[in-house]
Amino acid sequence: MTKPESPRHESVCRDSLCKDPSHTESATPEFDRRNFLKGAVVGGAAAVSGTALTPESAQAQQPAAASAPQPAGYEFLNLDEAAFIEALVDHMVPADDLTPKGTDVGINIYIDRALAGGWGKGDRLYMQGPWKKGAPSQGYQLPLTPAQLYRAGIEATNVHCRKTYGKTFDRLDEAQREEVLVGLQSAKINFDSGLPVRVFWGALYQTVIEGMFSDPIYGGNRNKAGWQLIGFPGVIAVHRDHVEQYRGKPFPNKPVSISDMS
Amino acid sequence: MATKLKEVDVVIVGLGWTGGILAKELAEAGMKVVALERGAARSSENDYSLPNIRDELRYVVRHDLMQNTARDTLTVRNNPTQEALPMRRLGSFLPGEVVGGSGVHWSGHTWRWTDMEFKVRSMYEERYGKKFIPDDMTIQDWGITYAELEPYYEKFEYTAAVSGKAGNINGKIQPGGNPFEAPRAKDYALPPLTPILASEMFSNAARNAGYNPFPRPSANASQAYTNPDGTKFGACQYCGYCQRFGCEANAKGSPHLTVIPLAMKSPNFELRANSWVTKVLKDSDGKKVTGVTYTNVLNGEEFEQPANIVLLCAYAINNVHLMLLSGIGQAYDPASGNGVVGKNYCYQTGASATLFFEGKHFNPFMNAGGSNATIDDFNINWGFDRGPHNFVGAYNVGGGFNTNLPIGYRPVPSGTPQWGKAWKQATAKWYQTAMVINASGSVMANRNNYFDLDPTYRNAFGQPLMRMTFDYKANEHKMGTHAAQVINDIAKSMNPTRINQATARTEPWTVVPYQSTHNTGGTIMGTKPSDSVVNKYLQSWNCHNLFVVGANVFPHNSSYNPTGPVGALAYWTADAIKNKYVKNPGPLVQA
């Protein structure tokens, strides 16, 4: 795990709490709360609830809380699956000067928590048969929850890897991993188990993206690395004045997450 | 056995825009009104507040405010010979499931549909001849006129804080507005939203090409506003979290902010959330309805709610489903063309190009729900001659952004790798420097696009799912080809570093990815019972005390977002009930 970057508390300080006299609201355009209040005051209730400060929320602004370590360990993934996912996300999101590597961004943790939670268990998924293959235009038709799909897909991919390279995906070298991912993406790999490779790849890819770009409360996008990569400001986004002020100009890249504001 | 409750004057099924408008209007007129909403009650104060509302994963990806497909969904197929299979999770469209309905999570685009829709068959036949309309294109005049709806459009626009620039006030063309719009009595409730770089660049290019760009009218309050009912709006914050989110600034015209709280103030109104309506009940001779049955989804208990008047105000698709489940009217049969319930399901189509400009900063996270500029030169402009292009219908073209969040929006030029260092570099490089030009196109009704009940699959209440049969036809493909050409010509004139060009859609309609929550038809309006389910007042031809309100009454779909006429028709229907029906209950139009 990479060293957590210094907490960006300048981007979340509130005037009554801010200890740093150099931090004024007018200097932090990404959190221009005063102007937000001006604009929304007529709206009343929503603006009030958005600014209610409680001792708990003040606590959360302390640097110690903001840099608390991510919980380690897996809820859903078994040892083989964890090794697969860690290798996958580090290959898809390698470390460079733009971001830390996938496991240091927490994408593996995001995927584990998503699979362990309601979504992984099939919340909102219509799960009544009969089960038919259908046309691609009819969408997802497998009798599997996302967690079951992942489990079957990782196993099938490792069966392919053992057959082709004599070892599981996590033990492959970089070129072999690339070959496997291209095979999954292009559906040139066929799973012996009958699991449709395109469906597995689609779910896998989507969750890697979610782990990179969803709010850090879900375990990925650690230190807002995904948002910083592209300059997405996160949850604050009170842009009534910025819309003219920054039209055509770069906006400060200091993203704010839900926990920063909670 | 359902518990039978005390009779009320009016029962409303679904409390979004249409149910909210009718609830307020009828309760204020002294009628005892009960609204049954399948979703939960949520509020701006508790649910649509900072910071938790700003959660793309929860609201966009996981559909927190939307219909739960584990409980009820549709089966889908592209043509009548295919076997329909369940849409096992949402994708292409997103019906709301919450007090406020889809009016909570819409973007706010509010258009006035004109006589080019309401008189579609007669206008095309008059200009191009009967043969111009293909035999299987089952379009028809709606039986209503723009002039009749005009005051109701205005009422809805002022209720919902629509910001825009009039293009035609009482026949006088207004500079900067949409010169093709039908005449309006008054300007919009609020001035237009502040333009963003992408909409400005699109407007300039469109103007240079000889088109007529104007700011998109949208129910995002461009400044603090008090509507005629006294509802207070905050000013839009251009937060970039509009579509699929509730508005924490109370700046988006939404039923849970406007009409629903006013209905709640009336002692005549009662809301029952978490109430799933399973059937509309008919009397013994089938000439009237007597109420509805519903299930409390918190405990499974069943109730019968008798009522003098039943208003179906659920999402368009769900209204049609209830009509089919209740056996009101004859179900449509595409083989014979007989029957009307389920007929003329329509959707929308489109084309889009992504333009990349090295060195520009579009700040795609900074926008309102309606931060787009639009041209209607190929839309409600009857001067645009469809003859040489051989299609019926229209499309509008827009440039700008609304709600582009990073899980879903990371534009890169075609051919960019999907992972690895090169992917990250391209993602970082182009995110800020891309803009989109897109077209939204109409879909004309077709004999083989329709709803009926599925023979196999059932919902959580043991009832048949509704089956949707839909695909795009040659008419849409021809229009898409024309639109892609127009988009690409505008795009090229802007000299971008790279372009992902627009192409006409030719593949079948699919349930993924998201396309548009603009589903129309199924209980269409018209001038006679043989070709429509409801008359011009949205009153059932079969049962005169049943009104079916929503985009399900549109006989075809235009290129525009549907909420303008949906809201206007709800006010129009409310007036018809208050001023005509209650005084003399019976058919408002003689069959």
Side-chain angles (χ1 to χ4, degrees):
Chain A
M1 186 174 152
T2 52
K3 182 171 163 283
E5 62 176 0
S6 59
R8 298 180 171 275
H9 90 286
E10 77 277 11
S11 63
V12 296
C13 69
R14 293 167 175 170
D15 43 1
S16 60
L17 293 171
C18 190
K19 305 286 194 291
D20 185 339
S22 72
H23 294 145
T24 64
E25 285 198 347
S26 58
T28 56
E30 72 284 7
F31 188 52
D32 203 343
R33 177 165 291 280
R34 191 173 296 139
N35 282 341
F36 167 59
L37 283 174
K38 262 190 244 161
V41 68
V42 175
V48 171
S49 74
T51 57
L53 278 177
T54 62
E56 289 76 13
S57 67
Q59 275 292 308
Q61 301 307 313
Q62 300 306 312
S67 63
Q70 298 288 331
Y74 291 110
E75 270 188 76
F76 174 79
L77 300 173
N78 68 22
L79 290 178
D80 282 352
E81 292 159 355
F84 176 93
I85 293 292
E86 287 171 8
L88 175 91
V89 302
D90 283 347
H91 184 88
M92 291 179 71
V93 182
D96 56 17
D97 55 352
L98 292 173
T99 72
K101 65 183 192 287
T103 48
D104 288 339
V105 177
I107 300 174
N108 52 323
I109 299 296
Y110 168 81
I111 291 173
D112 176 68
R113 301 298 189 263
L115 295 174
W119 176 77
K121 293 185 171 104
D123 266 7
R124 291 177 169 265
L125 189 60
Y126 181 83
M127 285 295 278
Q128 295 181 46
W131 303 92
K132 306 273 177 77
K133 189 176 168 203
S137 65
Q138 291 171 306
Y140 185 78
Q141 294 296 337
L142 297 180
L144 303 174
T145 65
Q148 292 164 338
L149 170 66
Y150 251 76
R151 187 144 275 175
I154 291 173
E155 191 185 337
T157 306
N158 273 336
V159 166
H160 166 82
C161 292
R162 271 196 221 97
K163 207 163 67 178
T164 311
Y165 309 103
K167 44 193 166 185
T168 53
F169 179 78
D170 57 294
R171 292 169 190 271
L172 303 184
D173 65 31
E174 201 169 318
Q176 292 168 327
R177 287 178 185 177
E178 183 68 13
E179 199 170 69
V180 173
L181 293 196
V182 170
L184 294 174
Q185 178 209 26
S186 60
K188 292 217 170 91
I189 293 176
N190 264 315
F191 291 149
D192 296 342
S193 64
L195 190 78
V197 66
R198 278 186 201 282
V199 180
F200 174 57
W201 172 255
L204 195 67
Y205 189 82
Q206 171 67 17
T207 45
V208 169
I209 294 298
E210 289 166 8
M212 182 96 174
F213 295 105
S214 59
D215 192 281
I217 55 171
Y218 297 103
N221 191 15
R222 194 174 293 162
N223 298 318
K224 296 157 274 190
W227 292 352
Q228 296 206 30
L229 170 70
I230 56 176
F232 177 70
V235 305
I236 294 295
V238 176
H239 295 309
R240 184 163 179 75
D241 296 327
H242 304 154
V243 73
E244 285 193 64
Q245 191 186 340
Y246 286 97
R247 186 188 288 132
K249 295 182 189 141
F251 188 73
N253 187 0
K254 292 176 182 170
V256 177
S257 69
I258 288 174
S259 59
D260 291 334
M261 273 191 82
S262 300
Chain B
M1 185 67 195
T3 306
K4 192 165 180 174
L5 303 168
K6 189 164 168 280
E7 186 174 68
V8 294
D9 295 325
V10 181
V11 66
I12 296 179
V13 180
L15 197 63
W17 262 127
T18 60
I21 287 169
L22 280 146
K24 172 191 172 286
E25 295 293 314
L26 300 184
E28 287 181 353
M31 302 168 80
K32 292 281 181 201
V33 179
V34 165
L36 303 170
E37 162 57 43
R38 62 182 177 175
R42 299 199 204 186
S43 67
S44 295
E45 293 88 334
N46 279 319
D47 298 291
Y48 311 140
S49 58
L50 289 172
N52 296 75
I53 189 62
R54 302 275 170 85
D55 186 341
E56 183 188 9
L57 186 75
R58 175 177 174 180
Y59 291 100
V60 179
V61 182
R62 302 273 188 260
H63 304 141
D64 197 68
L65 295 171
M66 315 305 179
Q67 177 172 330
N68 181 351
T69 42
R71 191 154 63 191
D72 187 56
T73 183
L74 298 155
T75 63
V76 294
R77 59 181 180 175
N78 291 121
N79 61 69
T81 60
Q82 199 180 3
E83 185 177 17
L85 293 177
M87 178 176 74
R88 295 188 179 272
R89 55 166 68 102
L90 293 177
S92 181
F93 47 85
L94 302 170
E97 184 170 302
V98 64
V99 171
S102 303
V104 174
H105 75 255
W106 70 318
S107 288
H109 305 172
T110 305
W111 299 103
R112 293 184 172 200
W113 296 28
T114 69
D115 285 336
M116 277 185 61
E117 316 302 337
F118 305 148
K119 298 178 180 173
V120 62
R121 181 167 281 277
S122 46
M123 283 178 75
Y124 277 87
E125 283 187 354
E126 188 183 326
R127 178 162 176 181
Y128 296 110
K130 280 184 194 264
K131 284 190 179 154
F132 192 73
I133 300 172
D135 286 345
D136 62 350
M137 186 182 284
T138 49
I139 53 174
Q140 65 188 43
D141 289 3
W142 295 30
I144 195 166
T145 64
Y146 174 82
E148 286 173 306
L149 267 193
E150 200 281 335
Y152 298 94
Y153 278 128
E154 182 185 300
K155 187 156 175 65
F156 181 67
E157 288 165 359
Y158 275 68
T159 299
V162 177
S163 302
K165 176 81 186 83
N168 181 342
I169 298 179
N170 294 319
K172 194 162 175 248
I173 299 300
Q174 309 289 312
N178 178 3
F180 305 113
E181 73 172 353
R184 56 175 61 244
K186 277 162 76 176
D187 204 336
Y188 285 99
L190 288 164
L193 293 154
T194 304
I196 57 175
L197 179 63
S199 63
E200 281 188 336
M201 285 172 58
F202 170 78
S203 292
N204 291 336
R207 207 173 288 116
N208 289 339
Y211 305 134
N212 295 275
F214 61 93
R216 180 167 299 185
S218 200
N220 317 129
S222 58
Q223 58 197 43
Y225 172 67
T226 303
N227 81 5
D229 294 325
T231 301
K232 292 184 189 313
F233 286 73
C236 175
Q237 299 299 317
Y238 300 83
C239 73
Y241 291 78
C242 197
Q243 189 181 168
R244 307 191 195 176
F245 298 89
C247 178
E248 94 294 333
N250 287 345
K252 176 159 65 175
S254 294
H256 70 282
L257 170 68
T258 57
V259 287
I260 293 172
L262 294 169
M264 302 285 277
K265 272 190 191 162
S266 165
N268 294 326
F269 177 73
E270 184 191 345
L271 162 63
R272 293 181 205 145
N274 304 300
S275 299
W276 187 284
V277 175
T278 46
K279 199 171 186 183
V280 181
L281 303 168
K282 292 183 286 190
D283 67 5
S284 51
D285 65 2
K287 294 232 163 80
K288 284 180 77 180
V289 294
T290 60
V292 300
T293 54
Y294 71 96
T295 301
N296 175 351
V297 298
L298 301 181
N299 64 5
E301 202 173 344
E302 291 180 278
F303 296 94
E304 178 184 337
Q305 177 60 64
N308 280 323
I309 299 174
V310 174
L311 307 177
L312 297 190
C313 295
Y315 187 70
I317 286 171
N318 305 100
N319 280 341
V320 182
H321 194 197
L322 262 180
M323 290 293 279
L324 287 167
L325 289 172
S326 307
I328 298 168
Q330 190 186 346
Y332 172 67
D333 170 24
S336 66
N338 294 332
V340 281
V341 183
K343 190 179 178 182
N344 283 17
Y345 168 65
C346 290
Y347 199 39
Q348 282 177 332
T349 184
S352 77
T354 306
L355 291 66
F356 300 89
F357 294 89
E358 232 161 39
K360 287 234 187 279
H361 295 275
F362 287 106
N363 295 324
F365 41 81
M366 199 182 284
N367 47 67
S371 288
N372 311 66
T374 301
I375 58 168
D376 266 353
D377 297 74
F378 305 100
N379 194 21
I380 55 169
N381 173 16
W382 195 231
F384 163 52
D385 186 2
R386 276 83 169 161
H389 312 292
N390 199 25
F391 65 81
V392 177
Y395 62 92
N396 65 72
V397 182
F401 294 110
N402 49 73
T403 315
N404 287 320
L405 298 167
I407 296 173
Y409 177 80
R410 288 161 287 95
V412 287
S414 305
T416 301
Q418 287 194 311
W419 61 82
K421 287 187 183 181
W423 166 70
K424 280 201 293 182
Q425 282 160 6
T427 302
K429 175 175 179 180
W430 297 113
Y431 173 71
Q432 290 273 4
T433 60
M435 64 168 279
V436 174
I437 300 177
N438 66 346
S440 168
S442 63
V443 167
M444 293 299 114
N446 184 277
R447 181 176 184 135
N448 287 325
N449 289 337
Y450 67 102
F451 295 114
D452 61 359
L453 292 177
D454 189 86
T456 306
Y457 292 94
R458 295 190 169 252
N459 68 13
F461 305 91
Q463 299 179 297
L465 298 186
M466 189 159 71
R467 176 166 66 179
M468 171 189 283
T469 304
F470 177 74
D471 208 352
Y472 298 108
K473 307 297 179 190
N475 187 66
E476 282 75 54
H477 298 154
K478 282 184 266 187
M479 188 175 62
T481 303
H482 194 271
Q485 183 69 48
V486 167
I487 291 171
N488 290 335
D489 286 348
I490 295 174
K492 282 177 205 157
S493 78
M494 295 167 74
N495 293 315
T497 320
R498 303 277 295 268
I499 309 180
N500 293 349
Q501 293 211 18
T503 52
R505 180 180 184 135
T506 51
E507 71 276 22
W509 171 72
T510 67
V511 300
V512 281
Y514 180 76
Q515 288 147 71
S516 152
T517 308
H518 303 155
N519 314 82
T520 65
T523 65
I524 62 178
M525 63 196 291
T527 54
K528 52 186 188 292
S530 59
D531 65 12
S532 53
V533 174
V534 296
N535 63 29
K536 69 193 282 189
Y537 300 106
L538 315 195
Q539 180 186 37
S540 161
W541 290 112
N542 288 77
C543 302
H544 63 73
N545 61 340
L546 172 67
F547 294 78
V548 191
V549 191
N552 41 277
V553 304
F554 298 179
H556 72 276
N557 208 344
S558 88
S559 81
Y560 278 155
N561 309 53
T563 312
V566 165
L569 283 168
Y571 277 117
W572 159 262
T573 299
D575 266 9
I577 293 172
K578 283 191 295 187
N579 302 333
K580 295 183 174 150
Y581 184 79
V582 172
K583 288 170 188 156
N584 187 15
L588 296 171
V589 177
Q590 289 310 316

